Amino acid sequence: DVCSSDLLIFTLGTNSVVRGLIYIMSGGRTIENFGGAISSYGNKTVFAGITLYYAIAIVLVAISHLVLT
């Protein structure tokens, strides 16, 4: 069953573990205000008004679909 509670519990548990590791690695500091070079990627459009971040997400979803099917 695709909507089983086991998958939800696993996803939430994995999220907690990863966030905990990031908290330990950063020493509890918030990381924000990257520089102009990194923050400018949020405004770059690749084609048809799609930003670079969405284009990367679409490519990653397509690759994941091809690998998993």
Side-chain angles (χ1 to χ4, degrees):
D1 186 15
V2 175
C3 295
S4 70
S5 60
D6 295 341
L7 295 175
L8 177 64
I9 292 169
F10 180 78
T11 301
L12 293 175
T14 303
N15 181 30
S16 297
V17 168
V18 170
R19 289 180 65 135
L21 290 173
I22 291 171
Y23 182 79
I24 291 169
M25 290 171 48
S26 69
R29 294 183 311 268
T30 303
I31 301 171
E32 56 185 49
N33 296 331
F34 290 106
I38 293 176
S39 61
S40 68
Y41 284 111
N43 298 328
K44 291 187 179 187
T45 57
V46 181
F47 55 89
I50 297 176
T51 62
L52 181 62
Y53 290 130
Y54 284 120
I56 291 171
I58 291 168
V59 168
L60 289 175
V61 167
I63 291 172
S64 298
H65 175 72
L66 292 174
V67 169
L68 296 173
T69 57

